[in-house]
Amino acid sequence: MTFTVQARRARPHALPAAAGFLLGLLALGPALLPGFVLSYDMVFVPDPPLGLGVTSGPARAVPSDLVVALAARVAPVQICEKVILLAIFTTACAGAAALVSARWQAQPDGGWRTRLGPLVTGVCYAWNPFVAERLIMGQWAMLLGYAGLPWVLRELAAWPQAGRLLAGRLAVAIVPAAIGGFAAMSVTAVAALPVAFCGSGAIGPRFRRTALTAAVLLVASLPWVIPSFLAPVLADPNGANAFAARADTPFGALGSLVLLGGIWNARAVPAGYGGLAASIAWLILAVLALSGYLLVARPRRLCPGLGVAGFAGFCVAALGTWGPTLALLRAAIAFWPAFALLRDGQQFIAPLALAESAGLGAGVLWLAGGRSRPSRPDASAAALLGVLALLAPVLLLPGLALGAFGRLRAVEYPADWLAARTMIDAPGTGPGAVLLLPWAQYRQYPWNHGEPVFDPWPRMLSRPMIWNDALRVGSATVAAESAQARRLGPAIESGRPLTSVLLRAGVRYVIIDAGPLLGRPRARLAGLARLPGARVLLASQDLIVLQLIAR
Amino acid sequence: MSSLWLMIIAIVAGAALAFGSTLIVTSALAGANNSPVNQQLFNYGTR
């Protein structure tokens, strides 16, 4: 049985959007104060140079960095960052609610009870372990795709009713994922293609719809696909081990994925989550949500194909959790580096998060009598259960609130950094690349309260940057993916003087922004850094900048 | 399902949610992270 499209209401998205905005305020808390929020991959810098975001490594920040740099021409970047983060919560909540309400028949006397189900869906989709862990990991670009996902599926689910014009609307709905780049688009594709194919209609139109959806996805992916083909992409199969989903509850990796957690990094698990109480509570919620999907949403074709998408995403997420499939993924990455898209598998449970959220909301709608049935339960009891379902995600995951319990805080860059940037990027200083030391990718700056963050310097300067993008995760080391880092790495780690090697590689400046050399006497810095003959341009407690001079 | 049973379920669910959330908030305030995840990123270049 198919539900008819809900009758138009005035401002149908206003309430879920407002709820999402409030959830964003609650989640970000101190992160909304003046300053920049820096956490793992979330790196925003003041006045970023206008560039394509293409480096010698994989095109990870394409086109998100370019969009931020363009937005910085209109508003201060720290404002842009907060707007983006709030938009993720608002868009996710409103989109998930819209997906459910668009396909559910409203009753003339339904009133607020028929609006509660979609709201429950929106809140659950915007506030769950997946959002918390990915937000702490700073993956705002991927979360943009997550937020836009229900809007994409809503357009696909409505396609038979609205005809060809929806191709354009689909393209608009994909914009957040297109801005997000490769991870956001990958997650969107895993969900959109099954939904496009499973929708109503004969087999021919379904194939055409799927092909058109694939074409839209491909066009939206071109900003990061083209650079990936222009420059050789290197990917270490060890990444499949390092970034495989892990257990963050007592229910193992697969159970953790069903509960919408399971990220590979222990430090990205929100406070209070993973213990017995939280795990059991989320297990109950997940069971209720999946039951709601299977028993209420799916039979009523709330979003045909969403269950398939959720299951497909779950299977991709689980690839790294079982020996044979992990070996298969490793072999696939070794064969073609593009398969490295699948190595951080947990992000692919995004469609499952939407299916569970839709199931929870559909269950509430069913209880609330959103569809007429013979034995309508007592309205007040149903309303109470609906309100509990609305509050449950927030109450059972307090670790996301207030900037993930203080993990996400706004900070200012040290004045030395901004002065150094002006000095290095000044006109007339000549060409040359910048090398970043210590030879590592992430930092724990004291001025950022010790929270890990991807080194911001590659986004600060318009010059070519060389840094080590190798990672040590647990016991696994993921080799550098940048050709320059692979070429210079052995020399830098050899312990021998570096000046001549770096000059031959076209390096003109060396930045040291962490480690034991900070604060050491200026006169000894060049020697201690193994850069004999280098001129110290700046030396402070936060930063050292050296200039290499060719003899 | 009768209205009485539904009301009982709602009350029990509400009490369980209140109890569970109190435990979780307490755990979060204590800074406890009981996650059995056993790996994290070690790449801070502090050496």
Side-chain angles (χ1 to χ4, degrees), chain A residues 36-77:
Chain A
F36 296 84
V37 187
L38 306 173
S39 181
Y40 287 99
D41 297 345
M42 183 149 46
V43 182
F44 288 79
V45 300
D47 305 319
L50 205 55
L52 296 178
V54 178
T55 65
S56 62
R60 285 207 177 84
V62 182
S64 51
D65 273 8
L66 176 61
V67 172
V68 171
L70 289 171
R73 270 58 189 169
V74 179
V77 174

Side-chain angles (χ1 to χ4, degrees), chain A residues 242 247 264 266 377 438 441-442 472 474, chain B residues 6 32 36-37 39-40 42-45:
Chain A
W264 56 269
Q441 190 170 7
Y442 286 83
R472 191 161 71 83
Chain B
L6 202 65
V37 176
Q39 72 162 11
Q40 59 178 283
F42 296 99
N43 191 237
Y44 304 125

Side-chain angles (χ1 to χ4, degrees), chain A residues 248-250 272-276, chain B residues 27 32-37:
Chain A
D248 58 4
T249 65
Y273 185 71
L276 199 60
Chain B
S27 169
N33 185 343
N34 300 315
S35 162
V37 176

Side-chain angles (χ1 to χ4, degrees), chain A residues 30-224:
Chain A
L32 294 170
L33 294 172
F36 296 84
V37 187
L38 306 173
S39 181
Y40 287 99
D41 297 345
M42 183 149 46
V43 182
F44 288 79
V45 300
D47 305 319
L50 205 55
L52 296 178
V54 178
T55 65
S56 62
R60 285 207 177 84
V62 182
S64 51
D65 273 8
L66 176 61
V67 172
V68 171
L70 289 171
R73 270 58 189 169
V74 179
V77 174
Q78 52 179 284
I79 302 293
C80 297
E81 181 183 24
K82 292 163 188 16
V83 168
I84 290 170
L85 295 178
L86 283 171
I88 287 170
F89 283 90
T90 308
T91 310
C93 188
L99 178 69
V100 171
S101 62
R103 303 285 291 175
W104 201 275
Q105 183 181 16
Q107 295 230 320
D109 62 342
W112 65 272
R113 282 183 285 116
T114 50
R115 285 198 288 274
L116 187 58
L119 196 57
V120 167
T121 299
V123 168
C124 185
Y125 189 64
W127 194 287
N128 57 54
F130 180 85
V131 173
E133 292 178 349
R134 291 289 160 179
L135 186 65
I136 291 172
M137 282 298 293
Q139 293 176 345
W140 63 272
M142 194 280 290
L143 284 174
L144 269 181
Y146 176 86
L149 183 62
W151 294 101
V152 173
L153 302 193
R154 181 172 178 264
E155 294 305 330
L156 290 171
W159 205 310
Q161 284 84 27
R164 291 183 180 181
L165 282 178
L166 283 189
R169 294 181 58 154
L170 177 64
V172 172
I174 279 180
V175 165
I179 292 172
F182 80 100
M185 286 303 300
S186 306
V187 167
T188 304
V190 165
L193 293 174
V195 171
F197 187 74
C198 294
S200 57
I203 193 74
R206 285 162 64 181
F207 268 114
R208 279 197 295 276
R209 187 169 58 218
T210 308
L212 188 56
T213 303
V216 173
L217 289 167
L218 181 63
V219 170
S221 300
L222 287 178
W224 55 272

Side-chain angles (χ1 to χ4, degrees), chain A residues 110-518:
Chain A
W112 65 272
R113 282 183 285 116
T114 50
R115 285 198 288 274
L116 187 58
L119 196 57
V120 167
T121 299
V123 168
C124 185
Y125 189 64
W127 194 287
N128 57 54
F130 180 85
V131 173
E133 292 178 349
R134 291 289 160 179
L135 186 65
I136 291 172
M137 282 298 293
Q139 293 176 345
W140 63 272
M142 194 280 290
L143 284 174
L144 269 181
Y146 176 86
L149 183 62
W151 294 101
V152 173
L153 302 193
R154 181 172 178 264
E155 294 305 330
L156 290 171
W159 205 310
Q161 284 84 27
R164 291 183 180 181
L165 282 178
L166 283 189
R169 294 181 58 154
L170 177 64
V172 172
I174 279 180
V175 165
I179 292 172
F182 80 100
M185 286 303 300
S186 306
V187 167
T188 304
V190 165
L193 293 174
V195 171
F197 187 74
C198 294
S200 57
I203 193 74
R206 285 162 64 181
F207 268 114
R208 279 197 295 276
R209 187 169 58 218
T210 308
L212 188 56
T213 303
V216 173
L217 289 167
L218 181 63
V219 170
S221 300
L222 287 178
W224 55 272
V225 167
I226 291 174
S228 303
F229 279 105
L230 291 180
V233 175
L234 308 167
D236 185 352
N238 277 342
N241 297 63
F243 303 121
R246 307 276 162 168
D248 58 4
T249 65
F251 308 126
L254 295 182
S256 300
L257 288 171
V258 172
L259 270 54
L260 307 181
I263 200 164
W264 56 269
N265 184 1
R267 288 210 57 188
V269 177
Y273 185 71
L276 199 60
S279 301
I280 290 175
W282 274 95
L283 179 66
I284 294 170
L285 199 63
V287 167
L288 288 174
L290 286 171
S291 304
Y293 182 80
L294 293 172
L295 300 176
V296 183
R298 187 175 174 276
R300 288 160 176 79
R301 297 183 64 79
L302 187 75
C303 179
L306 179 57
V308 177
F311 183 69
F314 178 80
C315 290
V316 175
L319 280 178
T321 64
W322 188 42
T325 49
L326 177 61
L328 185 68
L329 182 57
R330 287 180 59 95
I333 294 172
F335 173 71
W336 192 32
F339 283 108
L341 283 173
L342 306 178
R343 67 186 188 181
D344 187 0
Q346 191 249 5
Q347 64 191 349
F348 289 95
I349 61 168
L352 180 65
L354 186 53
E356 291 187 9
S357 304
L360 199 64
V364 169
L365 271 169
W366 178 80
L367 275 175
R371 179 175 175 260
S372 56
R373 55 195 176 82
S375 58
R376 185 171 151 177
D378 178 71
S380 55
L384 179 56
L385 282 170
V387 171
L388 291 177
L390 183 71
L391 297 176
V394 180
L395 292 177
L396 299 178
L397 191 63
L400 174 54
L402 303 176
F405 254 56
R407 297 282 304 276
L408 306 173
R409 281 185 280 186
V411 297
E412 295 290 353
Y413 282 96
D416 299 341
W417 279 51
L418 305 180
R421 176 169 77 166
T422 306
M423 193 162 50
I424 294 170
D425 260 352
T429 48
V434 179
L435 181 83
L436 205 49
L437 293 176
W439 194 234
Q441 190 170 7
Y442 286 83
R443 303 283 192 254
Q444 288 181 298
Y445 302 113
W447 51 265
N448 192 34
H449 311 289
E451 290 297 330
V453 62
F454 185 93
D455 197 309
W457 275 105
R459 288 184 170 87
M460 297 274 277
L461 297 171
S462 57
R463 287 175 180 272
M465 297 285 303
I466 302 172
W467 73 95
N468 180 20
D469 56 353
L471 286 174
R472 191 161 71 83
V473 180
S475 58
T477 298
V478 184
E481 295 172 344
S482 148
Q484 289 169 312
R486 286 193 176 193
R487 198 163 49 244
L488 285 176
I492 292 170
E493 290 174 334
S494 68
R496 290 195 290 271
L498 295 170
T499 309
S500 58
V501 175
L502 296 181
L503 281 170
R504 279 199 300 276
V507 175
R508 185 177 173 84
Y509 295 96
V510 175
I511 292 176
I512 303 170
D513 60 354
L517 292 187
L518 295 178

